[in-house]
């Protein structure tokens, strides 16, 4: 989460290339992570068709004073999805891509979406609570209570806590090798020391939100209500698509234009077809050699002795290799 900053152009192609290359090599493409990447990027680019819908960044800065004074939920909920520069967006989205792929792949899309919603609400709420507490008890108004900040990094810190909670390995944080479960704390301190304009309370709120989420998750063994709600909504929305797909789905017995393998018919000869005795493929009556395995037609063109000898010479492995050679 960053405060106001200057724009740095030219890094969006790097984000696009990195995201596409990462998704291309994945056997399963995590949809929630992809949707978040797209949403954050579209909000930052503000194309013409969205300019009348999306509020400007000046209307959504996270500011504890304005949120509490005017009960401004827009600032509370939308500020994580806005970024002040190309570098701010690219850094956060690359971090989201790496963490999101791992978490969504292991948790599933529904539970991952539920976790993200909970982490976003908790990180924003904890940051607001910290700023108000510092004002009441230490009279820290200027540094924290009145600061403006935006960005997804508070949620990213919470995701890092969840991702590394069970890890016993070591990780490298800006050149320091430390246990992975402490990486978020080390990154909080190092970023605050060396990166100007970042929101300390926003990042700290994210770490505390991740710890709180894990404690609540361990205390509640069953599926949380938010996950159940998202799963129900997903099923309702996808039901028409599943219905149409099942309506037009049919069993494919044929594998080419003229024959099939392993059909239900028991007779060797059917109308206009003859069945190969070696691989049970149904061939056109115009063919004298099996289209699947190359075995000659035994009933016509070969004596029973020749047919028996020819089919006995073919092993199952030879039949499989002929299938691969012919049909790839």
């Amino acid at each position: 989460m960053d405060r106001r900053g200057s724009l740095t152009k030219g890094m969006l192609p790097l984000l696009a290339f990195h995201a596409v290359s990462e998704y291309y090599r994945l056997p399963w493409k995590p949809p929630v992570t992809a949707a978040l990447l797209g949403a954050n990027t579209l909000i930052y680019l503000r194309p013409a068709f969205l300019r009348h819908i999306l509020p400007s960044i000046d209307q959504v800065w996270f500011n504890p004073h304005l949120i509490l004074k005017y009960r401004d939920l827009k600032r509370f909920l939308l500020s994580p999805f806005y970024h002040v520069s190309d570098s701010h967006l690219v850094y956060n989205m690359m971090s989201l891509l790496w963490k999101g792929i791992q978490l969504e792949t292991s948790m599933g899309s529904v539970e991952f979406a539920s976790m993200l919603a909970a982490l976003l609400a908790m990180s924003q709420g904890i940051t607001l609570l910290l700023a108000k507490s510092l004002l009441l008890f230490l009279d820290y108004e200027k540094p924290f209570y009145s600061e403006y900040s935006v960005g997804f990094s508070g949620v990213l810190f919470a995701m890092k806590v969840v991702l590394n909670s069970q890890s016993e390995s070591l990780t490298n944080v800006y050149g320091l090798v430390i246990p992975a479960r402490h990486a978020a704390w080390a990154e909080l301190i190092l970023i605050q020391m060396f990166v100007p304009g970042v929101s300390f309370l926003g990042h700290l709120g994210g770490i505390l939100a991740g710890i709180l989420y894990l404690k609540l998750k361990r205390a509640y063994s069953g599926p949380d209500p938010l996950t159940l709600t998202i799963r129900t909504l997903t099923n309702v929305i996808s039901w028409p698509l599943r219905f149409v797909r099942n309506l037009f789905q049919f069993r494919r017995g044929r594998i080419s234009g003229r024959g099939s393998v392993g059909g239900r018919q028991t007779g060797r000869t059917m109308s206009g077809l003859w069945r190969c005795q070696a691989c049970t493929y149904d061939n056109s009556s115009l063919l004298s050699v099996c289209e699947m395995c190359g075995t000659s037609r035994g009933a016509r063109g070969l004596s029973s002795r020749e047919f028996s000898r020819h089919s006995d010479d073919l092993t199952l492995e030879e039949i499989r290799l002929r299938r691969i050679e012919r049909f790839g």
Side-chain angles (χ1 to χ4, degrees):
M1 185 175 287
D2 276 14
R3 302 189 189 102
R4 295 177 183 266
S6 59
L7 298 180
T8 304
K9 300 298 182 182
M11 297 187 67
L12 291 182
L14 174 64
L15 172 62
F17 175 77
H18 185 72
V20 170
S21 61
E22 285 292 320
Y23 270 86
Y24 179 77
R25 66 180 182 85
L26 292 174
W28 177 74
K29 280 63 176 174
V32 178
T33 302
L36 275 174
L37 285 169
N40 278 273
T41 305
L42 279 176
I43 289 173
Y44 176 73
L45 293 175
R46 292 180 63 83
F49 68 93
L50 290 177
R51 286 176 186 170
H52 300 294
I53 302 174
L54 295 174
S56 66
I57 192 171
D58 290 328
Q59 297 174 301
V60 299
W61 287 101
F62 185 89
N63 181 277
H65 170 69
L66 296 177
I67 291 173
L68 293 176
K69 181 178 180 179
Y70 299 105
R71 294 179 175 84
D72 194 345
L73 290 179
K74 179 169 76 275
R75 294 179 183 273
F76 183 86
L77 296 174
L78 296 183
S79 57
F81 301 99
Y82 283 72
H83 295 82
V84 296
S85 66
D86 285 14
S87 58
H88 187 204
L89 174 72
V90 169
Y91 181 84
N92 279 353
M93 292 304 99
M94 285 188 173
S95 180
L96 172 63
L97 180 65
W98 183 77
K99 296 178 179 70
I101 287 174
Q102 296 184 75
L103 288 170
E104 188 172 357
T105 302
S106 61
M107 301 171 66
S109 296
V110 173
E111 188 175 354
F112 178 68
S114 169
M115 181 197 72
L116 279 178
L119 292 179
L120 188 149
M122 287 192 295
S123 63
Q124 296 287 85
I126 291 174
T127 302
L128 196 64
L129 182 62
L130 289 174
K132 186 65 175 179
S133 300
L134 289 173
L135 173 68
L136 292 177
F137 299 110
L138 299 176
D139 199 25
Y140 277 6
E141 179 178 359
K142 193 69 174 177
F144 302 114
Y145 191 68
S146 299
E147 79 171 6
Y148 291 83
S149 58
V150 288
F152 208 73
S153 53
V155 183
L156 293 174
F157 268 87
M159 292 172 64
K160 182 186 286 288
V161 172
V162 175
L163 182 62
N164 294 331
S165 60
Q166 303 297 326
S167 177
E168 298 296 333
S169 61
L170 299 176
T171 187
N172 188 308
V173 180
Y174 301 106
L176 296 178
V177 179
I178 59 174
R181 61 182 179 273
H182 302 316
W185 292 105
E187 189 171 349
L188 170 70
I189 297 172
L190 291 173
I191 287 180
Q192 193 64 34
M193 290 173 59
F194 299 109
V195 181
V198 298
S199 173
F200 176 76
L201 283 191
H203 294 169
L204 177 61
I207 293 176
L208 297 178
I211 295 173
L212 178 60
Y213 175 83
L214 290 173
K215 289 186 178 297
L216 292 175
K217 193 73 175 175
R218 296 188 186 107
Y220 187 73
S221 58
D224 59 275
L226 185 57
T227 300
L228 294 177
T229 302
I230 295 176
R231 183 175 287 117
T232 301
L233 291 175
T234 303
N235 290 334
V236 170
I237 294 172
S238 62
W239 179 83
L241 297 176
R242 295 199 307 270
F243 176 78
V244 172
R245 184 184 61 190
N246 294 334
L247 186 64
F248 291 97
Q249 191 176 17
F250 59 91
R251 182 176 179 178
R252 294 182 60 190
R254 300 172 66 86
I255 65 171
S256 77
R258 291 184 295 275
S260 61
V261 176
R264 293 185 178 182
Q265 296 89 342
T266 56
R268 190 185 73 182
T269 303
M270 290 156 281
S271 176
L273 300 173
W274 61 273
R275 173 158 296 177
C276 175
Q277 296 297 312
C279 67
T280 72
Y281 185 82
D282 296 329
N283 298 274
S284 170
S285 59
L286 301 177
L287 298 176
S288 60
V289 177
C290 176
E291 189 179 11
M292 174 64 75
C293 66
T295 302
S296 298
R297 185 175 180 179
R300 298 179 186 176
L302 288 177
S303 66
S304 60
R305 180 179 300 176
E306 289 172 329
F307 174 77
S308 176
R309 176 176 54 79
H310 185 79
S311 60
D312 289 343
D313 290 340
L314 285 172
T315 65
L316 291 177
E317 179 64 17
E318 289 173 336
I319 294 173
R320 186 184 71 82
L321 292 175
R322 288 191 181 187
R323 288 176 178 172
I324 294 173
E325 181 181 359
R326 185 169 183 81
F327 295 98

